[in-house]
Amino acid sequence: HYPDRRAVATVQARLASFLLRSGRQEEGLALYRGIVEQGIATGGTATGFSNALVPYFRALAERTAIDPKAAAEFFAAAQL
């Protein structure tokens, strides 16, 4: 199924990373959340894809002091 392919998730992660670097935090985080949710729902793994999630983990780690949901999102993403 095309939307579930890792290549699509990788491209989406690159866009999300760009959004984070461009100061568009909420858009970038929302896109990463979607990638993680899709991966978990389809039983996917981050094998060969984990580097694409590094900016997401970094952003969530920075937000843990101000956003109580950030830690939960971090651990959810780590399940991939």
Short mmCIF file of all heavy atoms in Angstrom, two decimals:
data_model
loop_
_atom_site.label_atom_id
_atom_site.label_comp_id
_atom_site.label_asym_id
_atom_site.label_seq_id
_atom_site.Cartn_x
_atom_site.Cartn_y
_atom_site.Cartn_z
N HIS A 1 0.85 -1.17 0.00
CA HIS A 1 0.00 0.00 0.00
C HIS A 1 0.89 1.23 0.00
O HIS A 1 1.68 1.43 0.91
CB HIS A 1 -0.94 -0.06 1.21
CG HIS A 1 -1.96 1.00 1.24
ND1 HIS A 1 -1.90 2.01 2.17
CD2 HIS A 1 -3.02 1.24 0.47
CE1 HIS A 1 -2.95 2.81 1.97
NE2 HIS A 1 -3.63 2.35 0.95
N TYR A 2 0.77 2.06 -0.99
CA TYR A 2 1.69 3.16 -1.23
C TYR A 2 1.90 4.11 -0.05
O TYR A 2 3.05 4.38 0.30
CB TYR A 2 1.24 3.94 -2.48
CG TYR A 2 2.15 5.09 -2.79
CD1 TYR A 2 3.41 4.87 -3.35
CD2 TYR A 2 1.79 6.40 -2.50
CE1 TYR A 2 4.26 5.92 -3.63
CE2 TYR A 2 2.64 7.45 -2.77
CZ TYR A 2 3.87 7.20 -3.34
OH TYR A 2 4.71 8.24 -3.60
N PRO A 3 0.86 4.63 0.60
CA PRO A 3 1.12 5.60 1.68
C PRO A 3 1.87 5.02 2.87
O PRO A 3 2.43 5.75 3.67
CB PRO A 3 -0.28 6.05 2.12
CG PRO A 3 -1.16 5.73 0.98
CD PRO A 3 -0.55 4.52 0.30
N ASP A 4 1.91 3.72 3.00
CA ASP A 4 2.60 3.09 4.13
C ASP A 4 4.08 2.87 3.87
O ASP A 4 4.80 2.44 4.75
CB ASP A 4 1.95 1.75 4.47
CG ASP A 4 0.51 1.92 4.91
OD1 ASP A 4 0.18 3.01 5.40
OD2 ASP A 4 -0.27 0.98 4.74
N ARG A 5 4.54 3.16 2.69
CA ARG A 5 5.93 2.87 2.35
C ARG A 5 6.89 3.74 3.11
O ARG A 5 6.67 4.91 3.35
CB ARG A 5 6.13 3.04 0.85
CG ARG A 5 5.38 1.98 0.06
CD ARG A 5 5.59 2.08 -1.39
NE ARG A 5 7.02 2.20 -1.68
CZ ARG A 5 7.49 2.42 -2.88
NH1 ARG A 5 6.67 2.55 -3.89
NH2 ARG A 5 8.78 2.53 -3.09
N ARG A 6 8.02 3.14 3.48
CA ARG A 6 9.05 3.85 4.24
C ARG A 6 9.59 5.06 3.47
O ARG A 6 9.92 6.07 4.06
CB ARG A 6 10.19 2.90 4.60
CG ARG A 6 11.23 3.56 5.47
CD ARG A 6 12.26 2.61 5.97
NE ARG A 6 11.61 1.65 6.84
CZ ARG A 6 11.99 0.40 6.98
NH1 ARG A 6 13.02 -0.05 6.33
NH2 ARG A 6 11.34 -0.42 7.78
N ALA A 7 9.66 4.96 2.15
CA ALA A 7 10.17 6.07 1.34
C ALA A 7 9.31 7.32 1.54
O ALA A 7 9.83 8.43 1.64
CB ALA A 7 10.22 5.68 -0.13
N VAL A 8 8.02 7.13 1.60
CA VAL A 8 7.11 8.26 1.81
C VAL A 8 7.34 8.85 3.20
O VAL A 8 7.43 10.07 3.36
CB VAL A 8 5.64 7.84 1.62
CG1 VAL A 8 4.70 8.97 2.00
CG2 VAL A 8 5.40 7.40 0.19
N ALA A 9 7.47 7.99 4.20
CA ALA A 9 7.72 8.47 5.56
C ALA A 9 9.04 9.22 5.65
O ALA A 9 9.15 10.21 6.36
CB ALA A 9 7.69 7.30 6.54
N THR A 10 10.05 8.75 4.92
CA THR A 10 11.34 9.42 4.93
C THR A 10 11.24 10.83 4.34
O THR A 10 11.79 11.78 4.90
CB THR A 10 12.38 8.58 4.16
OG1 THR A 10 12.50 7.31 4.78
CG2 THR A 10 13.73 9.27 4.14
N VAL A 11 10.52 10.95 3.26
CA VAL A 11 10.33 12.28 2.64
C VAL A 11 9.53 13.19 3.58
O VAL A 11 9.86 14.36 3.75
CB VAL A 11 9.65 12.16 1.26
CG1 VAL A 11 9.25 13.52 0.73
CG2 VAL A 11 10.57 11.44 0.30
N GLN A 12 8.51 12.63 4.21
CA GLN A 12 7.73 13.42 5.16
C GLN A 12 8.60 13.86 6.34
O GLN A 12 8.47 14.99 6.82
CB GLN A 12 6.54 12.61 5.67
CG GLN A 12 5.48 12.39 4.64
CD GLN A 12 4.37 11.48 5.13
OE1 GLN A 12 4.60 10.58 5.94
NE2 GLN A 12 3.16 11.70 4.63
N ALA A 13 9.48 12.99 6.80
CA ALA A 13 10.37 13.34 7.91
C ALA A 13 11.34 14.44 7.51
O ALA A 13 11.64 15.33 8.31
CB ALA A 13 11.13 12.11 8.39
N ARG A 14 11.81 14.41 6.27
CA ARG A 14 12.69 15.49 5.80
C ARG A 14 11.95 16.81 5.79
O ARG A 14 12.50 17.85 6.15
CB ARG A 14 13.23 15.16 4.41
CG ARG A 14 14.26 14.07 4.43
CD ARG A 14 14.79 13.82 3.05
NE ARG A 14 15.74 12.71 3.07
CZ ARG A 14 16.22 12.14 2.00
NH1 ARG A 14 15.85 12.57 0.80
NH2 ARG A 14 17.07 11.15 2.10
N LEU A 15 10.70 16.78 5.34
CA LEU A 15 9.90 18.01 5.34
C LEU A 15 9.67 18.48 6.78
O LEU A 15 9.80 19.66 7.08
CB LEU A 15 8.56 17.78 4.64
CG LEU A 15 7.57 18.94 4.70
CD1 LEU A 15 8.16 20.21 4.10
CD2 LEU A 15 6.27 18.56 4.00
N ALA A 16 9.34 17.56 7.67
CA ALA A 16 9.11 17.93 9.07
C ALA A 16 10.36 18.53 9.68
O ALA A 16 10.29 19.52 10.41
CB ALA A 16 8.67 16.69 9.86
N SER A 17 11.52 17.97 9.37
CA SER A 17 12.78 18.50 9.87
C SER A 17 13.01 19.91 9.34
O SER A 17 13.42 20.81 10.09
CB SER A 17 13.93 17.59 9.45
OG SER A 17 15.16 18.12 9.86
N PHE A 18 12.73 20.11 8.07
CA PHE A 18 12.86 21.45 7.48
C PHE A 18 11.93 22.44 8.19
O PHE A 18 12.34 23.56 8.50
CB PHE A 18 12.53 21.41 5.98
CG PHE A 18 12.40 22.76 5.37
CD1 PHE A 18 13.53 23.51 5.06
CD2 PHE A 18 11.16 23.30 5.12
CE1 PHE A 18 13.42 24.78 4.51
CE2 PHE A 18 11.03 24.57 4.56
CZ PHE A 18 12.17 25.31 4.26
N LEU A 19 10.72 22.02 8.46
CA LEU A 19 9.77 22.90 9.15
C LEU A 19 10.28 23.28 10.53
O LEU A 19 10.18 24.44 10.94
CB LEU A 19 8.40 22.24 9.24
CG LEU A 19 7.66 22.06 7.90
CD1 LEU A 19 6.43 21.18 8.08
CD2 LEU A 19 7.30 23.40 7.30
N LEU A 20 10.84 22.31 11.26
CA LEU A 20 11.41 22.61 12.58
C LEU A 20 12.55 23.62 12.47
O LEU A 20 12.62 24.57 13.25
CB LEU A 20 11.91 21.33 13.26
CG LEU A 20 10.86 20.31 13.69
CD1 LEU A 20 11.53 19.09 14.31
CD2 LEU A 20 9.86 20.91 14.66
N ARG A 21 13.43 23.40 11.51
CA ARG A 21 14.57 24.32 11.32
C ARG A 21 14.12 25.71 10.89
O ARG A 21 14.81 26.69 11.14
CB ARG A 21 15.54 23.76 10.28
CG ARG A 21 16.33 22.56 10.75
CD ARG A 21 17.46 22.22 9.79
NE ARG A 21 17.09 22.21 8.38
CZ ARG A 21 16.60 21.18 7.72
NH1 ARG A 21 16.38 20.03 8.34
NH2 ARG A 21 16.31 21.27 6.43
N SER A 22 12.97 25.78 10.24
CA SER A 22 12.45 27.06 9.75
C SER A 22 11.60 27.79 10.77
O SER A 22 11.00 28.81 10.45
CB SER A 22 11.61 26.81 8.49
OG SER A 22 12.40 26.22 7.49
N GLY A 23 11.54 27.25 11.99
CA GLY A 23 10.76 27.91 13.04
C GLY A 23 9.28 27.59 13.01
O GLY A 23 8.50 28.20 13.72
N ARG A 24 8.90 26.63 12.20
CA ARG A 24 7.49 26.25 12.11
C ARG A 24 7.29 24.98 12.94
O ARG A 24 6.96 23.91 12.44
CB ARG A 24 7.11 26.06 10.65
CG ARG A 24 7.22 27.39 9.89
CD ARG A 24 7.23 27.25 8.41
NE ARG A 24 5.98 26.70 7.88
CZ ARG A 24 5.79 26.46 6.60
NH1 ARG A 24 6.73 26.71 5.73
NH2 ARG A 24 4.65 25.95 6.20
N GLN A 25 7.52 25.14 14.25
CA GLN A 25 7.54 24.03 15.20
C GLN A 25 6.27 23.20 15.19
O GLN A 25 6.33 21.97 15.11
CB GLN A 25 7.79 24.55 16.62
CG GLN A 25 9.14 25.20 16.81
CD GLN A 25 10.25 24.17 16.86
OE1 GLN A 25 10.12 23.18 17.55
NE2 GLN A 25 11.31 24.42 16.13
N GLU A 26 5.13 23.85 15.29
CA GLU A 26 3.87 23.10 15.39
C GLU A 26 3.60 22.28 14.14
O GLU A 26 3.14 21.14 14.23
CB GLU A 26 2.71 24.04 15.70
CG GLU A 26 2.81 24.68 17.08
CD GLU A 26 3.01 23.66 18.20
OE1 GLU A 26 2.33 22.62 18.21
OE2 GLU A 26 3.86 23.92 19.08
N GLU A 27 3.89 22.84 12.98
CA GLU A 27 3.68 22.11 11.73
C GLU A 27 4.62 20.91 11.63
O GLU A 27 4.22 19.81 11.26
CB GLU A 27 3.89 23.01 10.52
CG GLU A 27 2.83 24.07 10.32
CD GLU A 27 3.20 24.99 9.19
OE1 GLU A 27 2.89 24.62 8.02
OE2 GLU A 27 3.80 26.05 9.44
N GLY A 28 5.89 21.14 11.98
CA GLY A 28 6.87 20.06 11.94
C GLY A 28 6.54 18.95 12.91
O GLY A 28 6.59 17.77 12.57
N LEU A 29 6.18 19.32 14.13
CA LEU A 29 5.84 18.33 15.14
C LEU A 29 4.59 17.54 14.74
O LEU A 29 4.52 16.33 14.94
CB LEU A 29 5.65 18.98 16.51
CG LEU A 29 6.94 19.51 17.16
CD1 LEU A 29 6.60 20.31 18.41
CD2 LEU A 29 7.90 18.38 17.48
N ALA A 30 3.62 18.23 14.17
CA ALA A 30 2.39 17.55 13.74
C ALA A 30 2.69 16.53 12.64
O ALA A 30 2.15 15.41 12.65
CB ALA A 30 1.37 18.57 13.26
N LEU A 31 3.56 16.89 11.73
CA LEU A 31 3.92 15.96 10.66
C LEU A 31 4.66 14.76 11.22
O LEU A 31 4.37 13.60 10.86
CB LEU A 31 4.77 16.67 9.60
CG LEU A 31 5.07 15.92 8.32
CD1 LEU A 31 3.81 15.34 7.68
CD2 LEU A 31 5.78 16.84 7.34
N TYR A 32 5.60 14.99 12.13
CA TYR A 32 6.29 13.87 12.78
C TYR A 32 5.31 12.99 13.55
O TYR A 32 5.42 11.77 13.51
CB TYR A 32 7.37 14.38 13.74
CG TYR A 32 8.72 14.58 13.11
CD1 TYR A 32 9.33 15.83 13.14
CD2 TYR A 32 9.41 13.54 12.52
CE1 TYR A 32 10.58 16.03 12.58
CE2 TYR A 32 10.67 13.72 11.96
CZ TYR A 32 11.24 14.96 12.00
OH TYR A 32 12.49 15.16 11.45
N ARG A 33 4.36 13.60 14.25
CA ARG A 33 3.37 12.80 14.99
C ARG A 33 2.62 11.86 14.04
O ARG A 33 2.37 10.71 14.37
CB ARG A 33 2.36 13.71 15.69
CG ARG A 33 2.85 14.28 16.98
CD ARG A 33 1.76 15.11 17.67
NE ARG A 33 2.39 16.06 18.54
CZ ARG A 33 2.47 17.37 18.32
NH1 ARG A 33 1.89 17.91 17.26
NH2 ARG A 33 3.10 18.15 19.17
N GLY A 34 2.24 12.39 12.90
CA GLY A 34 1.55 11.57 11.91
C GLY A 34 2.39 10.41 11.42
O GLY A 34 1.90 9.29 11.25
N ILE A 35 3.68 10.66 11.21
CA ILE A 35 4.59 9.61 10.77
C ILE A 35 4.67 8.52 11.83
O ILE A 35 4.60 7.32 11.52
CB ILE A 35 5.99 10.20 10.50
CG1 ILE A 35 5.96 11.16 9.32
CG2 ILE A 35 7.01 9.08 10.27
CD1 ILE A 35 7.18 12.04 9.20
N VAL A 36 4.81 8.93 13.08
CA VAL A 36 4.91 7.96 14.19
C VAL A 36 3.61 7.19 14.33
O VAL A 36 3.62 5.96 14.46
CB VAL A 36 5.30 8.67 15.50
CG1 VAL A 36 5.15 7.74 16.70
CG2 VAL A 36 6.73 9.20 15.41
N GLU A 37 2.48 7.87 14.32
CA GLU A 37 1.19 7.20 14.45
C GLU A 37 0.98 6.19 13.33
O GLU A 37 0.52 5.07 13.56
CB GLU A 37 0.06 8.22 14.46
CG GLU A 37 0.01 9.04 15.74
CD GLU A 37 -0.96 10.21 15.66
OE1 GLU A 37 -1.68 10.35 14.65
OE2 GLU A 37 -0.97 11.00 16.62
N GLN A 38 1.33 6.57 12.11
CA GLN A 38 1.19 5.67 10.96
C GLN A 38 2.10 4.45 11.14
O GLN A 38 1.69 3.32 10.89
CB GLN A 38 1.56 6.40 9.66
CG GLN A 38 1.44 5.57 8.42
CD GLN A 38 0.01 5.45 7.95
OE1 GLN A 38 -0.87 6.19 8.36
NE2 GLN A 38 -0.22 4.51 7.07
N GLY A 39 3.32 4.70 11.58
CA GLY A 39 4.26 3.59 11.78
C GLY A 39 3.79 2.62 12.84
O GLY A 39 3.88 1.40 12.66
N ILE A 40 3.27 3.15 13.92
CA ILE A 40 2.78 2.29 15.00
C ILE A 40 1.54 1.52 14.53
O ILE A 40 1.41 0.33 14.78
CB ILE A 40 2.49 3.11 16.27
CG1 ILE A 40 3.83 3.58 16.87
CG2 ILE A 40 1.70 2.29 17.29
CD1 ILE A 40 3.68 4.57 18.00
N ALA A 41 0.64 2.20 13.83
CA ALA A 41 -0.60 1.57 13.37
C ALA A 41 -0.34 0.44 12.38
O ALA A 41 -1.08 -0.55 12.36
CB ALA A 41 -1.51 2.61 12.73
N THR A 42 0.72 0.57 11.59
CA THR A 42 1.00 -0.45 10.58
C THR A 42 2.04 -1.46 11.06
O THR A 42 2.43 -2.35 10.30
CB THR A 42 1.49 0.18 9.27
OG1 THR A 42 2.68 0.92 9.52
CG2 THR A 42 0.42 1.06 8.66
N GLY A 43 2.49 -1.31 12.30
CA GLY A 43 3.47 -2.24 12.83
C GLY A 43 4.84 -2.05 12.24
O GLY A 43 5.66 -2.96 12.23
N GLY A 44 5.10 -0.85 11.75
CA GLY A 44 6.38 -0.55 11.13
C GLY A 44 7.49 -0.39 12.14
O GLY A 44 7.26 -0.36 13.35
N THR A 45 8.70 -0.33 11.64
CA THR A 45 9.86 -0.10 12.48
C THR A 45 10.66 1.06 11.91
O THR A 45 10.48 1.44 10.75
CB THR A 45 10.78 -1.33 12.55
OG1 THR A 45 11.37 -1.54 11.26
CG2 THR A 45 10.04 -2.57 12.99
N ALA A 46 11.54 1.60 12.73
CA ALA A 46 12.38 2.71 12.29
C ALA A 46 13.73 2.22 11.78
O ALA A 46 14.63 3.01 11.57
CB ALA A 46 12.57 3.69 13.44
N THR A 47 13.86 0.92 11.55
CA THR A 47 15.11 0.38 11.03
C THR A 47 15.43 1.04 9.69
O THR A 47 14.62 1.04 8.79
CB THR A 47 15.02 -1.15 10.85
OG1 THR A 47 14.65 -1.73 12.09
CG2 THR A 47 16.32 -1.73 10.36
N GLY A 48 16.60 1.62 9.60
CA GLY A 48 16.99 2.32 8.38
C GLY A 48 16.34 3.68 8.23
O GLY A 48 16.51 4.36 7.23
N PHE A 49 15.61 4.09 9.21
CA PHE A 49 14.81 5.32 9.15
C PHE A 49 15.03 6.15 10.41
O PHE A 49 14.61 7.28 10.50
CB PHE A 49 13.34 4.90 8.99
CG PHE A 49 12.33 5.98 9.09
CD1 PHE A 49 12.22 6.95 8.12
CD2 PHE A 49 11.47 6.03 10.17
CE1 PHE A 49 11.27 7.95 8.22
CE2 PHE A 49 10.51 7.02 10.27
CZ PHE A 49 10.42 7.98 9.29
N SER A 50 15.72 5.57 11.39
CA SER A 50 15.84 6.20 12.70
C SER A 50 16.52 7.56 12.65
O SER A 50 16.17 8.46 13.41
CB SER A 50 16.54 5.29 13.69
OG SER A 50 17.82 4.93 13.21
N ASN A 51 17.50 7.73 11.75
CA ASN A 51 18.16 9.04 11.65
C ASN A 51 17.19 10.14 11.26
O ASN A 51 17.38 11.29 11.63
CB ASN A 51 19.32 8.98 10.65
CG ASN A 51 20.50 8.24 11.19
OD1 ASN A 51 20.63 8.03 12.39
ND2 ASN A 51 21.37 7.81 10.30
N ALA A 52 16.17 9.79 10.52
CA ALA A 52 15.18 10.79 10.11
C ALA A 52 14.34 11.28 11.28
O ALA A 52 13.74 12.35 11.22
CB ALA A 52 14.26 10.20 9.03
N LEU A 53 14.33 10.51 12.37
CA LEU A 53 13.55 10.89 13.55
C LEU A 53 14.36 11.70 14.56
O LEU A 53 13.79 12.23 15.52
CB LEU A 53 12.99 9.64 14.24
CG LEU A 53 11.95 8.85 13.44
CD1 LEU A 53 11.57 7.58 14.19
CD2 LEU A 53 10.73 9.69 13.16
N VAL A 54 15.65 11.82 14.37
CA VAL A 54 16.51 12.54 15.33
C VAL A 54 16.01 13.96 15.60
O VAL A 54 15.92 14.37 16.76
CB VAL A 54 17.99 12.51 14.89
CG1 VAL A 54 18.84 13.45 15.72
CG2 VAL A 54 18.52 11.09 14.98
N PRO A 55 15.67 14.75 14.58
CA PRO A 55 15.18 16.10 14.87
C PRO A 55 13.90 16.10 15.71
O PRO A 55 13.70 16.99 16.53
CB PRO A 55 14.93 16.72 13.49
CG PRO A 55 15.80 15.93 12.57
CD PRO A 55 15.83 14.54 13.15
N TYR A 56 13.06 15.10 15.52
CA TYR A 56 11.83 14.99 16.30
C TYR A 56 12.16 14.71 17.76
O TYR A 56 11.64 15.37 18.65
CB TYR A 56 10.96 13.87 15.70
CG TYR A 56 9.62 13.68 16.37
CD1 TYR A 56 8.76 14.76 16.60
CD2 TYR A 56 9.17 12.42 16.73
CE1 TYR A 56 7.51 14.57 17.18
CE2 TYR A 56 7.93 12.22 17.30
CZ TYR A 56 7.10 13.30 17.53
OH TYR A 56 5.87 13.11 18.10
N PHE A 57 13.04 13.75 17.99
CA PHE A 57 13.44 13.45 19.36
C PHE A 57 14.08 14.67 20.02
O PHE A 57 13.81 14.97 21.19
CB PHE A 57 14.41 12.27 19.39
CG PHE A 57 13.76 10.95 19.14
CD1 PHE A 57 14.14 10.16 18.07
CD2 PHE A 57 12.76 10.47 19.97
CE1 PHE A 57 13.54 8.93 17.84
CE2 PHE A 57 12.14 9.24 19.75
CZ PHE A 57 12.55 8.48 18.68
N ARG A 58 14.91 15.38 19.29
CA ARG A 58 15.56 16.58 19.83
C ARG A 58 14.52 17.64 20.21
O ARG A 58 14.57 18.22 21.29
CB ARG A 58 16.55 17.14 18.82
CG ARG A 58 17.40 18.27 19.34
CD ARG A 58 18.44 18.75 18.33
NE ARG A 58 19.34 17.66 17.99
CZ ARG A 58 19.56 17.23 16.74
NH1 ARG A 58 18.94 17.78 15.71
NH2 ARG A 58 20.40 16.24 16.51
N ALA A 59 13.56 17.88 19.32
CA ALA A 59 12.52 18.88 19.58
C ALA A 59 11.68 18.49 20.78
O ALA A 59 11.34 19.34 21.62
CB ALA A 59 11.65 19.08 18.34
N LEU A 60 11.33 17.21 20.87
CA LEU A 60 10.53 16.76 22.01
C LEU A 60 11.30 16.88 23.32
O LEU A 60 10.74 17.28 24.34
CB LEU A 60 10.07 15.32 21.80
CG LEU A 60 9.02 15.11 20.70
CD1 LEU A 60 8.75 13.63 20.51
CD2 LEU A 60 7.74 15.86 21.01
N ALA A 61 12.58 16.53 23.29
CA ALA A 61 13.41 16.64 24.50
C ALA A 61 13.47 18.08 24.99
O ALA A 61 13.41 18.34 26.20
CB ALA A 61 14.80 16.10 24.24
N GLU A 62 13.55 19.01 24.07
CA GLU A 62 13.59 20.44 24.44
C GLU A 62 12.27 20.92 25.01
O GLU A 62 12.24 21.86 25.78
CB GLU A 62 13.98 21.28 23.21
CG GLU A 62 15.40 21.06 22.76
CD GLU A 62 15.70 21.75 21.42
OE1 GLU A 62 14.78 22.38 20.83
OE2 GLU A 62 16.85 21.63 20.98
N ARG A 63 11.18 20.28 24.63
CA ARG A 63 9.84 20.72 25.05
C ARG A 63 9.35 20.08 26.34
O ARG A 63 8.31 20.48 26.86
CB ARG A 63 8.83 20.42 23.95
CG ARG A 63 9.05 21.22 22.69
CD ARG A 63 8.12 20.78 21.59
NE ARG A 63 6.73 21.07 21.90
CZ ARG A 63 6.06 22.12 21.43
NH1 ARG A 63 6.65 22.98 20.66
NH2 ARG A 63 4.79 22.30 21.75
N THR A 64 10.05 19.09 26.86
CA THR A 64 9.52 18.35 28.01
C THR A 64 9.25 19.23 29.22
O THR A 64 8.34 18.94 30.00
CB THR A 64 10.45 17.19 28.42
OG1 THR A 64 11.75 17.70 28.67
CG2 THR A 64 10.49 16.12 27.36
N ALA A 65 10.00 20.31 29.39
CA ALA A 65 9.80 21.19 30.55
C ALA A 65 8.52 22.02 30.43
O ALA A 65 7.94 22.41 31.44
CB ALA A 65 11.00 22.10 30.73
N ILE A 66 8.09 22.29 29.21
CA ILE A 66 6.93 23.17 29.01
C ILE A 66 5.70 22.44 28.48
O ILE A 66 4.60 22.98 28.53
CB ILE A 66 7.27 24.34 28.07
CG1 ILE A 66 7.73 23.83 26.70
CG2 ILE A 66 8.30 25.26 28.69
CD1 ILE A 66 7.86 24.91 25.65
N ASP A 67 5.88 21.23 27.96
CA ASP A 67 4.77 20.49 27.36
C ASP A 67 4.71 19.09 27.97
O ASP A 67 5.54 18.23 27.65
CB ASP A 67 4.98 20.39 25.85
CG ASP A 67 3.84 19.70 25.12
OD1 ASP A 67 2.89 19.23 25.79
OD2 ASP A 67 3.89 19.63 23.88
N PRO A 68 3.74 18.84 28.84
CA PRO A 68 3.67 17.53 29.49
C PRO A 68 3.45 16.36 28.52
O PRO A 68 3.78 15.23 28.84
CB PRO A 68 2.50 17.66 30.47
CG PRO A 68 1.77 18.88 30.08
CD PRO A 68 2.68 19.73 29.27
N LYS A 69 2.94 16.62 27.35
CA LYS A 69 2.72 15.56 26.37
C LYS A 69 4.00 15.17 25.64
O LYS A 69 4.06 14.10 25.03
CB LYS A 69 1.68 16.00 25.34
CG LYS A 69 0.29 16.21 25.92
CD LYS A 69 -0.64 16.67 24.83
CE LYS A 69 -2.02 17.00 25.40
NZ LYS A 69 -2.91 17.51 24.36
N ALA A 70 5.01 16.01 25.69
CA ALA A 70 6.24 15.77 24.92
C ALA A 70 6.93 14.48 25.33
O ALA A 70 7.41 13.73 24.48
CB ALA A 70 7.19 16.96 25.05
N ALA A 71 6.98 14.20 26.63
CA ALA A 71 7.64 12.97 27.08
C ALA A 71 6.89 11.74 26.58
O ALA A 71 7.51 10.76 26.13
CB ALA A 71 7.75 12.95 28.60
N ALA A 72 5.58 11.77 26.61
CA ALA A 72 4.77 10.65 26.13
C ALA A 72 4.98 10.44 24.63
O ALA A 72 5.09 9.31 24.15
CB ALA A 72 3.30 10.87 26.45
N GLU A 73 5.05 11.54 23.88
CA GLU A 73 5.28 11.46 22.45
C GLU A 73 6.67 10.89 22.16
O GLU A 73 6.86 10.09 21.23
CB GLU A 73 5.13 12.82 21.80
CG GLU A 73 3.72 13.33 21.77
CD GLU A 73 3.60 14.71 21.16
OE1 GLU A 73 4.41 15.06 20.28
OE2 GLU A 73 2.68 15.45 21.57
N PHE A 74 7.65 11.30 22.97
CA PHE A 74 9.01 10.80 22.83
C PHE A 74 9.04 9.28 22.97
O PHE A 74 9.61 8.57 22.15
CB PHE A 74 9.92 11.46 23.87
CG PHE A 74 11.38 11.18 23.71
CD1 PHE A 74 12.22 12.11 23.12
CD2 PHE A 74 11.93 9.99 24.14
CE1 PHE A 74 13.56 11.87 22.97
CE2 PHE A 74 13.29 9.73 23.99
CZ PHE A 74 14.10 10.67 23.40
N PHE A 75 8.41 8.78 24.02
CA PHE A 75 8.40 7.35 24.26
C PHE A 75 7.59 6.59 23.22
O PHE A 75 7.93 5.46 22.84
CB PHE A 75 7.95 7.03 25.68
CG PHE A 75 8.98 7.44 26.69
CD1 PHE A 75 8.72 8.47 27.58
CD2 PHE A 75 10.22 6.81 26.75
CE1 PHE A 75 9.68 8.87 28.51
CE2 PHE A 75 11.17 7.19 27.68
CZ PHE A 75 10.91 8.22 28.55
N ALA A 76 6.53 7.19 22.73
CA ALA A 76 5.75 6.56 21.66
C ALA A 76 6.61 6.41 20.40
O ALA A 76 6.63 5.34 19.78
CB ALA A 76 4.49 7.36 21.35
N ALA A 77 7.33 7.46 20.04
CA ALA A 77 8.19 7.41 18.87
C ALA A 77 9.32 6.40 19.05
O ALA A 77 9.75 5.76 18.09
CB ALA A 77 8.76 8.80 18.57
N ALA A 78 9.78 6.24 20.26
CA ALA A 78 10.85 5.28 20.53
C ALA A 78 10.39 3.84 20.35
O ALA A 78 11.21 2.93 20.25
CB ALA A 78 11.38 5.48 21.96
N GLN A 79 9.08 3.61 20.27
CA GLN A 79 8.55 2.27 20.07
C GLN A 79 8.69 1.79 18.64
O GLN A 79 8.53 0.60 18.36
CB GLN A 79 7.08 2.20 20.49
CG GLN A 79 6.83 2.55 21.93
CD GLN A 79 7.63 1.68 22.88
OE1 GLN A 79 7.60 0.47 22.79
NE2 GLN A 79 8.36 2.31 23.78
N LEU A 80 8.98 2.70 17.74
CA LEU A 80 9.15 2.29 16.33
C LEU A 80 10.42 1.51 16.15
O LEU A 80 11.40 1.67 16.77
CB LEU A 80 9.19 3.52 15.42
CG LEU A 80 7.86 4.18 15.13
CD1 LEU A 80 8.05 5.40 14.25
CD2 LEU A 80 6.91 3.22 14.45
#
